[in-house]
Structure formats: structure tokens, C-alpha cells
Amino acid sequence: MSKLLVFIVLQLRLIYTSNVQLSSWAGDSSARLRRVAVGGGGTWGVDKNDVIYYRDGGQWKVYPGRLRDISVGGSEIWGVNSGMYIYKRSLDSGWSQVPGRLIQVSVSNNNNVWGVNSANSIYRFTGSTWQRIAGSLNVVAVGSSGVWGVNRNNDIYYRTGTYGDANTAGTQWEKIDGRLKWISVGQNIVFGVNANDDIYYRYGITSANPKGTKWVRVGGKLSQVDVHGSTVWGSNSAQNIYSLHISCQGEPSLSTWEPFGTKIKKVSVGGLGVYGITDDDNIYTWQSGSTVWTKVPGSLIDISVGKLEIWGVNRKYQIFRKVGTQGSWTLFPGSLKQVSVSENNNVWGVNSGDAIYRRVGSSWQNVAGRLKCVSVGKAGVWGVNSADNIYYRIGTHGDTNTPGTTWQNVAGKLKWISSGDNIVFGVNRYDHIYYRTGITAANPIGTHWVRVGGALRYIDTYDGAVWGANAQLNSFRLSITRSPGRQRAERWTHQTPAPKFKRVSTGGAGVWGIDTQNKVHYRSGNVWVNYPGALTDLSVGKSEIWGVNAQDQIWRKAGSGSWIRIPGLLRQISVSQNNRVWGVNAGGAIYRRVGNSWQNVAGRLTCVSVGQAGVWGVNSADNIYYRTGTYGDVNTAGTQWQNIPGKLIWISSGNNFVVGVNRQHYIYYRAGISAANPIGTHWVRVGGLLSQIDTDNNNVWGVNRNNDAYSLTVSIKTDSQERLTGWVRENDPLNFKHISFGKAGAWAIGTDDSIYQRVANEWRLYGGKLKVISVGGTEIWGVNSADNIYKKSLTGGWVNVPGKLKQVSVSGLNRVWGVNSGDAIYRRVGNSWQNVGGRLKCVSVGQAGVWGVNRNDDIFYRLGTYGDVNSAGTSWQHIAGKLKWISSGRNYVIGVNSGDNIYYRAGISLSNPLGTRWIQIGGKLSQVDTDANNVWGVNSAFTPFTLTVSAPPQANEVICSTAGLIGSNNKWVSAQPNGNVEVNRGWYRTWEQFRWEFDTTGGVYIKSFHNRYLSAQPNGRLEWNRTWKRPWERFIIVRKGNKIALKGHHGKYVSNKNNHIVDCSATSIGNAQLFTVHPRNCLKAEIPVHSRWTAMHQAPDLKLVSVGKGGVMAIGTDDSIYARKNGNWEVVPGKLKVISVGGTVIWGVNSADNIYKKTLTGNWVQVAGKLKQISVSENNRVWGVNSGDNIYRWLGSSWQHIGGKLKCVSVGQAGVWGVNSGDNIYYRTGTWKKHCLGC
């Protein structure tokens, strides 16, 4: 009996909306403009001299007048000049001045006008006057998508209620994610550029969602942009002008769920209807017009429905097929755990070992790769593997009867996938639903994944319908419809329309390429010309072009001749400038052309390249190889394959250099190649991202992941080393793998073990080879690739030091520690090495002591080594955290973990050498080094970085200049005139008051009323008898909760004896060694340590939370107010955008910047004034900032203006702090209230 239950099905309609495609760039060199504007009134612009231009018949013509800014509406043109005066004109009249002054103006197609003045105040034109709009913007833009703007911090805002180019002031500014410096509003689209001149458009704008959904970056660089209708114009930093055209295509979008319905664990939909499987393997069908599921004979664990056939597998992994809806199940030979059939009845599947098969006639053909789920449909063959990685089978788009060529990894993670009609659906491990948008024949992998509401465990799609089942075995259906709607911009295209390439090659016979439809093109001047033929790979030699097609057939073209078929089968091919030909077949076997036949060369590669630098290749594991003996483009098979460090997926052999790309599309070239050293020295990363690359002697061509073609030239420097001119930044830094900084300067190790010294802001090559270097005060130490140890003075040469180490560290006082290849630890003592117990892979010595990490990335500190002392320490103390590299600095330690994240250890002091916590620093580095105030490091691309560290505050636990001590007997410590130290007073008077004088390293000197310093004698006696500050008078404070202990120079602790005598003889800390500081607020407050964040389940959607003595209150995303009571959130009457909880009063501001306050039990009362943000302390001190970032404090009945500008302010016991629009942090001097422990 099946578990057929009543169910609810939700139906989601998939709407296809218009997808903006940007046509070719149209460059125009007839004028150079700083601003360009387009609208119903035509295309206008102004140049750097404020000259006005009008575009007439494809030409720019000078127009009378001078303007600094210009904007074009439907029938009016508006502008402002350098004097900030405002002008407008209609299409058939001249300029007329408009009252007022602005620095920027915008007019829409409905001739609605907005602008901003020099104070960034916002105005809209009402027909005769300017209406002031609350807020502050640098740039404002008005159009069909409403009013948008950016402020001086490049924050983006949309004006609520202005969508549709309505003649309204709107209601409020809503902040939009992202940052832009310029913005322009079009029809259901907004364009803008950021501070880096990168171009973005806002996707998903509709009347229902006028703010859109996300920013999408498009190629190119512009400093200003303007959009109107289907046209976009812009100018770049060189004042070159560009335009493009917007056209529309279908793009999937989602609307609403609708009910539908049984308990189904897997569901499939096809031409024969909908079939599902229950959790007990029973089969059901839902046919068109049905209202219930109908049971079908059989038992399956997986099912797939095609146009004429249904396929499935049972628990024994047997394969069954059913033809039509009335036929019976037929057992087929083979074993599969999952099967998929398309509308054209192409069948693919995977077995229990994740091997992939496709049905060819009456047998199964194995397809290379491993997948746990495969799906075939009009969008091609897609699958996911056991790691939830997603793959598309190249060459299968369109539901063709082909095995395709290779698996292409597609970004994202899914556990199940289904291929539909130019759309792919899938679900991830969290049952989130996604579809792949942008799939076309030209771009079969699509553009990006779009999240769909709901949660499903399995999903299937066919001909406008999508079905799925969730974890509760409820089945769901949605349908796909098409309608016009939203616009979406894909990318900026080049001035000359270019094909979309997947391969490009350059040689003596020119530049040739293959587009995404396997069509062949060659470069004629600056234009791509189609050439007869269809190939999947191509290579250009000096006078010949070789290629292979989708059937792996080999073709050759010589000179002006036609393609000639060459016997054999190859998957990839390469020809050199001497017309040497190498290739690999579908199995990775390697061949070279010898006369009229193919010679097999030992080995396996996925890509091979032959050129003047010899024969190079990469295998399926991305390992790189050079064929020994082939340098110079000679006619030889070479001798053997030599592995070269690095990972690449594609490679090309050039003239004394080799270029390649890795799986992340990063581009590298091999430097140092010569006849004497044909394998070169190291890889150098160059800017840009490419998926395939090719080079001849002096040119490099490549294609990116968007199938756009790029080229650059290679220049030869005087040192005969090639340098890529197009992609390498000017003053590009050297490539370092290790860097060190100390009093003796900055030194570094290159990727080839060369040594560099930093001199006058330049890296200069220094003699020798090392793999690790460390810089101390007056010495530099290092080890080479053979683990030999070397050192040098500032002026001397390298001297070999006996011993073997793999890593070494030297401090500012020239203390030297190191580890050998077995991770044994050593320190330098005189002229020998002392073994220190333990095992570390990296050790560092500095003012913060000796620190290290082991092979598990566990972190250790060597007790007793703080202060860069000449000591082996006592034992290793494990420190929480994980690092792969560490460096000891001045009262801090810095390191990097296995993910190249950077951390420093805070709170390190003499009294607490272990520190308190790790704090992450922004950025990524693979190795780091520090001295007192400088940090240097290198990243995974071997690029060096540096930062300066401000001196950390000393850990002075006593924060008052005068304070007393209470002993464990609750008596005050007293300084007698005769120098005795007693703890026998019940009062706090002058003899019980001491001055606390700290040095720069955390030591303290305690001075009595009689002007004598407390001194610890070697025999343990304490006396107030010294007028100087020397080692015996120096104490270290050891913090123990709310009390302290004092450690003397001789290593003993001050003790409170039962006979009221105080001495310095204890070797450990107990109750008698602990003292209370008075006043209690003179002891620094301890920093609270939080274990973890606790989630507030079943909470409303909150955007702001405030906590104080008055409780916990919050603001919802709709400005609703909530109070936390008895573990629940309760609604409080009113609407606020910001709230702050004080001791007995709560303050807040609403969306209109009106200010309100209330007592804990009272109602809201409005307070005079306007603020955008407010803060109240536990003592009910109130500070705030207004929309102009002006700062105010509440005096009880009025607001006092405070100098400065902040966007956010906060007041509390730690004083008044704030941040400005540049995110700089400020503290208000004199506002700090000393923390009090226990009072």
C-alpha cells in the first residue's frame, strides 16, 4: 500500500523578461568631452574648457555658450556654468537663465528637474521655484526609474515614490547597496561609475521593485555615463566618447507560488507527463487534466521522463525503459543508480561508482569523468559530482546525439540538477533552489545562478514546467511563461563587432580564431573575417594553419590554399614558426608530425605547445612539463619530460618565454628561458584574466571567460628578458616568496632564491642564493636550499655558519633561533647551537619573546623569553588559534593562517606575555615579518606588501598617578618615615598614598609620600629608602582578576605577612601576595572575553539594536520599535529609524530626523531639533549628528553645537567616539570616565 497522502503543491510561474544586450562600442574621435548627456532633446556634451557641443547628423558641432554640466530632457536641455548659474533651453530657443545656483543638474524625459548646490543640498524645480529636499548628495539623476543620487562618500540613494518619472518630491531617501561616484537613470535601468571608473548597471528595476535587486559590473572604464531609452553614452578619463545601443531578449524571472499536490520523494516531467516515486519506491503519474496521482505498476528509486520514453532504475541498479504511457517496463542490460532522458530521447546515466554513461544504439558508451547526478536536455548535458561541483558537457547544447568534448566546471554548488530549454534548475545541500540564466547556443554555460524561493530536495524541468519534491515528500510544480518586462545589461562590447571566441592563435600566417559555434575567423586589419570550416582547436604557424574538428579529425591549410584532411585523430594541436606540429588525442596520448606520419611520444598531456622555447605541455592534473632537448624549435622528439613547478590548464611556447593560464584564469609567463637554461627560472603573474592563450615570437593573443579576444605585444629589454608590455603594470614589483624587516633594513627572497635588499625605495639584487632570510639589529641571517646557514653584518659579506637549519629568525638584539628539517628547535649560544625541546616548523624571536608554529599549525609561546632576553626560556605554552607562519614584534605577534588570512596577537605585555586574543587584519598574505613598528609580507602571487604599526599602548594596570594598596588582611600598606614597609593601617592618608611611575616596557616604580622608592633587597627585605630608580626599585604588575601582585627584580613576589610585615620573598602567588588597588577605579577595567554569539531565534527582522541600563530595544526593517522583555520582543508604539538606550531614558530619531525621548515607563516626547543619529550613555548624556554631519550634545534644554563633522557618534563610559564620512575614527579628548570595578 503506497503512502499516498493529501498534499499541497505550490506552483511558481517563471516569467521571461527583457534582457538588455549592449551592442558594439561606437567610438567617436571628432570631439573630446568631459560630460556627455542624452535624452529626447538629442545628444549634448561639454569639454574641459566648458565649450558646448551638440550631435547633429553623426557629427559634433559647437553650440554657443559655456557650461560646466549639462543634462538633456524630453524637450529641454539644462546646464550650469562655472559660476554655478543655471540655464535651460528648449529645442527651438536659445539659453535662458533660471534663478538659483547649482553645481549639477538633471532633467528627465518628462522635463522634471533636480539638482545639487555647492553645499550638496538637493533641490527640485517646481516650475517657478526650487524646492529644498532633505538630504545631501554630490550627484542627483532623474528619469523613468525615479530619482537616484550619490553622496560625497559615494553612497547610493533612491528617492521613494519617484519611480515612473512622476512630478513629485517623493517621501524619503532609501540607501542602496554599493558605491558610485556618478549615476544616470534610464527606463527600468540605472547606470553608474565608481571611483575606479568601473561601470555598473542596476538589475531588476520594476514598478513593483523600483530599487532593483543587484548591481552588475560591465566591462570598460568610464568616468561619466548617461542613459536614455535604448542608448547609453559616456566619456572616459581621457575624455574619449563612447556610445552603445540596448536591445532586449527573454530572461527568466519569478513571480508567485500557487497551490497544487502527494508524498513524492522524486519527480520527473517530460513529454509523457509527470511521474513520481514515493519513499517506498512506488511509481505514480500525474497526467494533464488530472486532479490526483495515479499509481503505475513497478518499483523504482529513480525515474526520468522523455518525449516518447520513460527510463528508471531500481534498488538493484537495474535499468528499465517504458515506451509511451501504456507500455510495460522492459529490462535493459547494464547497471545505473541514476538516469536521465531528454526530449529527443538521448539517455545518460551514472553508476554506483559515479562513472558516466550515454546510450548509443543498444549499448552504453562510457564518458570520461565522475558524477553523482547527470541530466540531459535542450540546454545540453549537465551534472554534479560528489563534492557538489557543477559541470557542463561542452558540445552538447541543443539536445544533440553526441558525447560532447570535455566537462567544463561551472561556478556554484548543487547536489541535484536538471537540464531544460535554455535553462538549468538545481538544488543545493540546503535544498535551496536555483536556475541558470543566460543560456544560449552562443553561451551554453549561461551567465549566473538565480535563487528561487522555496526549498526542494529534487527537481526536474521540461517544456515550460518545473516539478520538484521537498524533504517532507511534498511535491511542487511551477510553470514557465514569457512576457516583456525588466531590462538587464550583459556587457560592454568592442567598437568593432567581434565574434565570441573560445580559441585564438597567432603566428606568421596571421591571427586566427574559433568562435563558440566552432566557426573559423581570421584577422584582417582590425576586422574579423569568417573563413569556411568548423574546428574545435586551431594553431597558426609561419606558413601553415592546423586544426581539429569536433570529430577530432585533423586539418591543414597552407598559404592561400583550402583545408586538407590529414590522416589521424587529435583533440588539440600546435604548430610552431618552423611548422613543427605536435598534438594530443582524446586519451591524452602525445604525437608529433614526422614527414607524412605521426610519431607517438611517451607521456600523457591535455595540452601541448611547440615554439622557439621548445615543447611544453600540461596534463589533466594541471602539472607543467618541458620536453628536454626541444629548445630552439628544432626538429626532434626530445629526450624526456621534465616537470616544472606550478599549475596551468593551458600553455603556449613563445620566443624565450612561455605563457599560460591556470584554473582561476590567472595569466603567467615563464621568465629566464635561454638556450643555457631552457626551463627558465620562475613564473611571473601578469594582470588580467584569460581562459586560453597563444603566442608567437612577439605577439600574445587570448580569450577570456566571456569569449572576448585580447592581444598584447612583447618587448625585449636590454637584458634579453622578455617583458609583457600590455598586461604588466608600470613599476610592477618583483616577485618575492619571503620577506623580512628589522633594524638592518628590509630584505627579501625572490621565487628563484635570489636575494634583494631594499635601498632608497627600490629592491636591489644582492649576491647569493637563500630560501629564507631574517633581519636583526646589526645582522642578517639566512638558509639556502641545502639548509646551510649564513649570516652577514651590515657591511660584510655572507659567512657560512656550521649547522643545518630550514628556517632561521634573528631579533633586534641579534638573538638567533631556528628549526631544522626534522622540526627540532635550536638557539644560538655563542658559537654553537643549543637544542631546545619541542618540535616547530617555524620559529620567530623578537621583543614579544619566542613564538612558533608546528606542522599542525598549532601556536606556541616560549615562557620566559619576553623582552628579547638572552634565555632559552622554560617551556612551550600552547596558544589558542591556528597559524602557518608567525613573527614576533614589539608587544604584538603577527602571523598568517592556511587561508592566508592575517592576524595579530593583542594584549601582550611583560605582565601578560601570552597576550589576550587574535585580531584579524584585512588582506591576504602567505608570509609576514615584523620588527618594532613595521610589517612586511608577500602574498600568494609573490607580491610584497608593507604596513606601519603604531606603537601599542603599554599594559599599565594602575591608571591613576596616585593610589594605595590594601593587603589580604584588609589593612593599608604604609610607608614609615624610617623606611619600614607595614600593612597595619585602617585608614588612607598621606603615608598610605603612593605615586605609580611606569617605564616604557611595563615596569613600575612606587614612590612614597617621603619621596623614597620601594626597593626589593636580594634577601627579600622591602624598604622605602631609595631616591633613584634602578633594577631593585622596578616591579612588574601581575593581574589576578580585580587584584594585583607585585614581582620584584629578583623574581620574588611582595607578600603580606601575618605580623603586618611586608617583604618580597614569595616564589608564587597566593592570597597573601594579592593586593587591592584603591581607589578601585584606578585599576584598569578588564576586557570582557566573549565565548560566542547566541542566535535570537524567532526574532522580528531588525536593522538596529541598542542595549543599556534601561534594557534592550531594537528597530525593525519597517522602523517599528521593539523592547526585549522576558526573553521576547514586544512591540512599542511609534516609528523610529535609530534608537539608543541610556540609564533611565531612551532616545531616538525617525525617518524625518525628528528627535524623541521617553522614560522607561513613559511615552514618547518630541524634542526640538533635527538629528539623523543619536546616542545616550548610562548617565543619560546625549550626543547626536544631523544630516549635514554636524555634531551636537544635549544640555538639558537645548543643543550645544560641537566643532567637527561625524556621520555617527557614540557616548559611554569610554567617552565620546565617532566616525566621519571617510570612515576615520575619532575620540573626543576629555570625555573619558574612568572604569570602576566593584563600585
Side-chain angles (χ1 to χ4, degrees):
M1 186 71 181
S2 118
K3 299 180 182 177
L4 190 59
L5 304 175
V6 180
F7 68 101
I8 295 177
V9 176
L10 298 180
Q11 181 184 26
L12 179 62
R13 285 205 171 95
L14 211 67
I15 303 171
Y16 274 74
T17 65
S18 58
N19 171 19
V20 170
Q21 301 287 329
L22 304 185
S23 66
S24 305
W25 280 109
D28 191 333
S29 60
S30 61
R32 287 183 177 269
L33 301 180
R34 181 174 44 81
R35 286 277 189 274
V36 63
V38 58
T43 306
W44 295 67
V46 294
D47 67 11
K48 64 180 180 179
N49 298 315
D50 296 352
V51 174
I52 307 169
Y53 289 82
Y54 170 69
R55 190 158 177 86
D56 185 12
Q59 298 295 322
W60 290 101
K61 296 181 179 180
V62 175
Y63 197 86
R66 287 282 195 276
L67 290 177
R68 188 71 180 165
D69 185 68
I70 197 166
S71 181
V72 181
S75 60
E76 295 178 347
I77 298 95
W78 286 67
V80 294
N81 66 12
S82 58
M84 298 181 285
Y85 294 107
I86 311 165
Y87 291 85
K88 75 169 184 177
R89 69 178 303 274
S90 64
L91 297 181
D92 54 1
S93 66
W95 294 109
S96 61
Q97 187 173 348
V98 178
R101 301 184 82 178
L102 297 173
I103 61 170
Q104 183 259 330
V105 70
S106 175
V107 56
S108 72
N109 209 43
N110 288 343
N111 296 320
N112 292 310
V113 182
W114 289 61
V116 294
N117 68 9
S118 59
N120 299 133
S121 299
I122 311 164
Y123 292 86
R124 65 178 286 261
F125 196 60
T126 61
S128 57
T129 60
W130 292 100
Q131 175 190 1
R132 172 72 187 276
I133 305 295
S136 176
L137 294 175
N138 270 13
V139 177
V140 69
V142 55
S144 297
S145 296
V147 178
W148 292 64
V150 293
N151 67 9
R152 60 185 177 186
N153 198 35
N154 292 349
D155 298 318
I156 309 165
Y157 291 86
Y158 163 71
R159 187 71 175 175
T160 305
T162 60
Y163 178 88
D165 198 6
N167 185 18
T168 175
T171 56
Q172 63 181 4
W173 292 107
E174 291 189 66
K175 189 174 182 181
I176 307 297
D177 60 286
R179 293 209 169 190
L180 295 174
K181 69 174 182 180
W182 184 271
I183 201 162
S184 178
V185 178
Q187 184 174 354
N188 283 343
I189 199 166
V190 172
F191 274 82
V193 294
N194 67 9
N196 195 39
D197 288 355
D198 300 320
I199 311 162
Y200 291 84
Y201 70 87
R202 188 70 177 175
Y203 173 77
I205 295 176
T206 65
S207 58
N209 183 25
K211 297 183 292 185
T213 55
K214 63 182 179 181
W215 292 106
V216 179
R217 182 176 174 185
V218 290
K221 294 276 188 178
L222 292 175
S223 56
Q224 179 260 336
V225 70
D226 202 45
V227 58
H228 168 72
S230 60
T231 305
V232 183
W233 283 81
S235 61
N236 64 10
S237 59
Q239 301 180 11
N240 297 315
I241 314 163
Y242 296 88
S243 69
L244 53 88
H245 183 73
I246 306 173
S247 59
C248 299
Q249 287 184 357
E251 167 70 13
S253 176
L254 307 177
S255 60
T256 56
W257 289 103
E258 295 179 3
F260 219 78
T262 216
K263 292 288 182 180
I264 298 292
K265 70 175 181 180
K266 280 189 179 179
V267 68
S268 180
V269 57
L272 293 178
V274 183
Y275 282 71
I277 300 171
T278 62
D279 64 348
D280 54 357
D281 299 351
N282 287 314
I283 310 167
Y284 287 82
T285 182
W286 181 291
Q287 294 298 327
S288 177
S290 297
T291 58
V292 295
W293 288 93
T294 302
K295 193 172 185 296
V296 176
S299 176
L300 297 174
I301 62 170
D302 187 66
I303 196 166
S304 182
V305 182
K307 187 174 184 180
L308 302 174
E309 299 175 346
I310 305 161
W311 287 70
V313 295
N314 66 10
R315 287 198 176 272
K316 296 180 181 180
Y317 297 157
Q318 294 172 316
I319 309 166
F320 292 88
R321 185 186 73 169
K322 176 178 164 64
V323 179
T325 58
Q326 304 301 319
S328 58
W329 293 107
T330 302
L331 178 65
F332 270 68
S335 175
L336 295 176
K337 70 175 181 181
Q338 184 259 329
V339 70
S340 175
V341 57
S342 72
E343 185 178 1
N344 289 341
N345 295 316
N346 293 310
V347 183
W348 289 61
V350 295
N351 69 9
S352 58
D354 290 353
I356 310 164
Y357 292 86
R358 63 179 287 262
R359 189 73 175 170
V360 181
S362 59
S363 61
W364 294 100
Q365 174 191 5
N366 178 241
V367 178
R370 285 286 187 274
L371 296 174
K372 68 176 180 181
C373 165
V374 69
S375 179
V376 55
K378 288 184 178 179
V381 178
W382 291 68
V384 294
N385 67 8
S386 58
D388 290 355
N389 298 316
I390 309 165
Y391 292 87
Y392 163 71
R393 187 70 176 175
I394 295 176
T396 60
H397 182 274
D399 198 8
T400 54
N401 185 17
T402 173
T405 56
T406 58
W407 291 106
Q408 180 169 354
N409 180 235
V410 178
K413 292 274 188 177
L414 294 174
K415 68 175 181 180
W416 188 269
I417 202 163
S418 177
S419 175
D421 185 2
N422 278 344
I423 195 169
V424 173
F425 275 80
V427 292
N428 69 7
R429 57 187 293 192
Y430 306 108
D431 291 354
H432 297 156
I433 311 164
Y434 293 84
Y435 70 87
R436 187 75 176 175
T437 188
I439 295 176
T440 64
N443 184 27
I445 64 169
T447 55
H448 60 280
W449 293 104
V450 179
R451 171 94 180 264
V452 182
L456 294 176
R457 194 165 56 176
Y458 296 98
I459 199 165
D460 198 36
T461 180
Y462 166 79
D463 194 27
V466 182
W467 284 74
N470 68 7
Q472 290 75 41
L473 308 184
N474 296 316
S475 54
F476 298 81
R477 187 183 78 178
L478 59 88
S479 59
I480 306 173
T481 59
R482 297 175 184 265
S483 66
R486 290 199 301 264
Q487 294 177 312
R488 178 172 178 273
E490 280 292 316
R491 62 176 183 86
W492 295 91
T493 55
H494 304 292
Q495 177 179 353
T496 302
K500 304 295 285 184
F501 288 110
K502 65 179 181 180
R503 290 283 188 273
V504 66
S505 181
T506 177
V511 181
W512 292 67
I514 302 170
D515 67 19
T516 53
Q517 299 180 39
N518 294 341
K519 295 178 180 178
V520 183
H521 303 263
Y522 69 92
R523 188 82 168 166
S524 176
N526 292 321
V527 178
W528 289 101
V529 179
N530 181 246
Y531 191 84
L535 297 174
T536 57
D537 189 50
L538 172 144
S539 183
V540 180
K542 186 174 183 179
S543 58
E544 296 179 350
I545 299 135
W546 287 69
V548 294
N549 65 11
Q551 291 75 43
D552 292 353
Q553 296 170 337
I554 309 167
W555 300 83
R556 185 188 73 175
K557 175 181 170 3
S560 59
S562 302
W563 292 110
I564 299 174
R565 170 80 186 277
I566 303 296
L569 293 174
L570 290 176
R571 179 63 50 86
Q572 182 262 331
I573 200 164
S574 174
V575 56
S576 73
Q577 296 309 295
N578 287 339
N579 296 321
R580 318 293 184 200
V581 183
W582 288 61
V584 294
N585 69 10
I590 310 164
Y591 293 87
R592 63 180 287 262
R593 187 74 173 169
V594 181
N596 292 323
S597 62
W598 294 102
Q599 175 191 1
N600 179 241
V601 179
R604 283 286 188 274
L605 295 174
T606 56
C607 168
V608 69
S609 179
V610 55
Q612 191 272 342
V615 179
W616 291 68
V618 294
N619 67 8
S620 59
D622 299 351
N623 297 317
I624 308 165
Y625 293 90
Y626 163 71
R627 187 70 177 177
T628 305
T630 60
Y631 177 88
D633 197 8
V634 292
N635 187 18
T636 175
T639 55
Q640 62 182 359
W641 292 106
Q642 180 173 352
N643 180 236
I644 306 298
K647 293 276 187 176
L648 295 174
I649 61 170
W650 189 272
I651 202 165
S652 180
S653 174
N655 186 1
N656 277 343
F657 70 98
V658 172
V659 293
V661 293
N662 68 7
R663 288 198 179 273
Q664 290 74 43
H665 303 281
Y666 296 153
I667 310 162
Y668 293 86
Y669 75 89
R670 188 73 176 174
I673 294 177
S674 65
N677 184 27
I679 62 170
T681 55
H682 60 283
W683 293 105
V684 180
R685 180 174 170 193
V686 293
L689 294 172
L690 293 176
S691 54
Q692 181 261 337
I693 200 167
D694 191 71
T695 181
D696 64 351
N697 287 339
N698 297 309
N699 296 283
V700 181
W701 281 78
V703 294
N704 67 9
R705 67 184 79 187
N706 294 324
N707 304 116
D708 299 316
Y710 290 86
S711 68
L712 57 84
T713 56
V714 182
S715 62
I716 302 178
K717 299 174 70 177
T718 55
D719 58 2
S720 298
Q721 291 296 311
E722 277 70 12
R723 185 74 163 171
L724 304 185
T725 59
W727 287 329
V728 180
R729 300 187 302 272
E730 186 181 0
N731 299 322
D732 199 33
L734 295 162
N735 288 272
F736 295 145
K737 65 178 182 181
H738 189 94
I739 201 163
S740 181
F741 191 89
K743 291 182 180 179
W747 292 69
I749 303 298
T751 52
D752 60 350
D753 286 356
S754 295
I755 307 168
Y756 295 86
Q757 181 186 12
R758 187 78 170 171
V759 179
N761 294 323
E762 292 182 350
W763 290 104
R764 297 183 183 176
L765 187 66
Y766 195 91
K769 293 273 188 176
L770 294 174
K771 67 176 181 180
V772 174
I773 199 166
S774 182
V775 181
T778 60
E779 295 178 348
I780 299 107
W781 286 68
V783 294
N784 67 9
S785 59
D787 289 354
N788 297 318
I789 310 166
Y790 292 87
K791 74 170 183 179
K792 72 178 295 295
S793 64
L794 297 181
T795 57
W798 292 110
V799 178
N800 182 231
V801 177
K804 291 274 189 177
L805 293 175
K806 70 174 181 181
Q807 182 259 332
V808 69
S809 175
V810 56
S811 72
L813 296 181
N814 298 320
R815 318 292 186 200
V816 183
W817 288 61
V819 294
N820 68 9
S821 58
D823 290 353
I825 310 163
Y826 292 88
R827 63 180 285 260
R828 189 72 173 169
V829 181
N831 292 322
S832 63
W833 294 102
Q834 175 191 2
N835 179 243
V836 179
R839 285 284 188 274
L840 295 174
K841 69 175 179 180
C842 165
V843 69
S844 178
V845 55
Q847 190 271 343
V850 179
W851 292 68
V853 292
N854 66 10
R855 286 185 182 271
N856 295 324
D857 290 352
D858 299 316
I859 309 165
F860 293 88
Y861 163 71
R862 186 70 176 176
L863 295 175
T865 59
Y866 177 89
D868 200 4
V869 293
N870 187 17
S871 169
T874 56
S875 62
W876 292 105
Q877 173 81 39
H878 180 242
I879 306 295
K882 291 279 187 177
L883 294 175
K884 69 176 181 180
W885 185 272
I886 202 164
S887 180
S888 175
R890 184 176 182 85
N891 279 342
Y892 69 95
V893 171
I894 194 163
V896 293
N897 67 8
S898 58
D900 288 353
N901 299 311
I902 313 163
Y903 293 84
Y904 76 89
R905 187 75 175 173
I908 293 177
S909 67
L910 185 59
S911 60
N912 183 25
L914 307 180
T916 54
R917 65 193 189 280
W918 293 105
I919 298 176
Q920 187 172 354
I921 304 172
K924 294 272 189 178
L925 293 176
S926 55
Q927 181 263 332
V928 70
D929 192 71
T930 180
D931 68 342
N933 297 311
N934 295 279
V935 180
W936 283 78
V938 293
N939 65 9
S940 58
F942 311 116
T943 304
F945 292 86
T946 182
L947 59 86
T948 301
V949 181
S950 58
Q954 297 301 321
N956 302 340
E957 301 291 349
V958 178
I959 54 180
C960 298
S961 60
T962 301
L965 293 172
I966 303 173
S968 58
N969 60 354
N970 288 322
K971 300 293 184 181
W972 299 92
V973 175
S974 176
Q976 305 298 312
N978 61 3
N980 290 338
V981 183
E982 298 178 357
V983 56
N984 60 355
R985 295 294 196 271
W987 52 78
Y988 179 57
R989 298 175 183 168
T990 54
W991 289 7
E992 291 75 47
Q993 297 176 8
F994 315 124
R995 287 190 59 83
W996 298 73
E997 300 175 3
F998 287 88
D999 61 21
T1000 59
T1001 59
V1004 63
Y1005 303 87
I1006 306 172
K1007 192 175 186 180
S1008 73
F1009 171 77
H1010 311 292
N1011 290 322
R1012 294 292 187 269
Y1013 288 100
L1014 184 65
S1015 178
Q1017 309 298 311
N1019 61 4
R1021 179 176 171 81
L1022 275 179
E1023 295 178 346
W1024 300 97
N1025 61 352
R1026 298 293 196 270
T1027 58
W1028 53 76
K1029 293 190 291 187
R1030 295 178 183 171
W1032 290 7
E1033 290 74 53
R1034 186 177 184 273
F1035 293 86
I1036 297 300
I1037 295 176
V1038 179
R1039 180 72 175 267
K1040 295 292 183 180
N1042 292 344
K1043 296 184 178 182
I1044 65 170
L1046 294 172
K1047 186 177 183 180
H1049 172 71
H1050 308 292
K1052 303 296 179 63
Y1053 293 95
V1054 175
S1055 299
N1056 172 21
K1057 300 293 187 179
N1058 291 332
N1059 57 1
H1060 308 309
I1061 299 299
V1062 182
D1063 66 11
C1064 193
S1065 59
T1067 58
S1068 61
I1069 301 175
N1071 188 53
Q1073 287 73 45
L1074 294 176
F1075 295 85
T1076 300
V1077 177
H1078 181 85
R1080 292 191 179 185
N1081 62 354
C1082 287
L1083 184 64
K1084 181 186 294 182
E1086 287 189 289
I1087 299 173
V1089 178
H1090 303 282
S1091 57
R1092 62 185 176 88
W1093 289 98
T1094 302
M1096 295 277 100
H1097 298 292
Q1098 298 180 347
D1101 291 331
L1102 303 178
K1103 65 179 179 181
L1104 185 146
V1105 176
S1106 179
V1107 60
K1109 285 185 177 179
V1112 180
M1113 299 197 66
I1115 303 297
T1117 53
D1118 60 351
D1119 286 357
S1120 295
I1121 309 168
Y1122 297 87
R1124 186 79 174 168
K1125 295 182 180 179
N1126 301 319
N1128 297 310
W1129 292 102
E1130 297 183 6
V1131 177
V1132 175
K1135 292 275 189 177
L1136 294 175
K1137 67 175 180 180
V1138 175
I1139 199 166
S1140 182
V1141 180
T1144 59
V1145 182
I1146 300 151
W1147 287 69
V1149 295
N1150 67 8
S1151 59
D1153 290 355
N1154 296 320
I1155 310 165
Y1156 293 86
K1157 72 173 181 178
K1158 71 183 291 294
T1159 62
L1160 299 184
T1161 57
N1163 297 321
W1164 292 109
V1165 177
Q1166 187 170 355
V1167 178
K1170 292 272 190 178
L1171 293 176
K1172 69 175 181 181
Q1173 184 264 333
I1174 201 165
S1175 174
V1176 55
S1177 73
E1178 291 184 1
N1179 289 335
N1180 298 320
R1181 318 294 186 201
V1182 184
W1183 288 62
V1185 295
N1186 68 7
S1187 59
D1189 290 353
N1190 298 310
I1191 311 161
Y1192 294 88
R1193 63 182 286 258
W1194 182 245
L1195 300 180
S1197 59
S1198 63
W1199 292 101
Q1200 176 190 4
H1201 180 242
I1202 305 296
K1205 293 276 189 178
L1206 294 175
K1207 67 177 181 180
C1208 168
V1209 69
S1210 179
V1211 55
Q1213 285 192 338
V1216 180
W1217 292 69
V1219 293
N1220 67 5
S1221 59
D1223 292 344
N1224 299 311
I1225 308 166
Y1226 292 89
Y1227 162 70
R1228 185 71 176 176
T1229 306
T1231 59
W1232 180 70
K1233 178 186 182 299
K1234 296 174 182 174
H1235 287 202
C1236 177
L1237 291 173
C1239 60

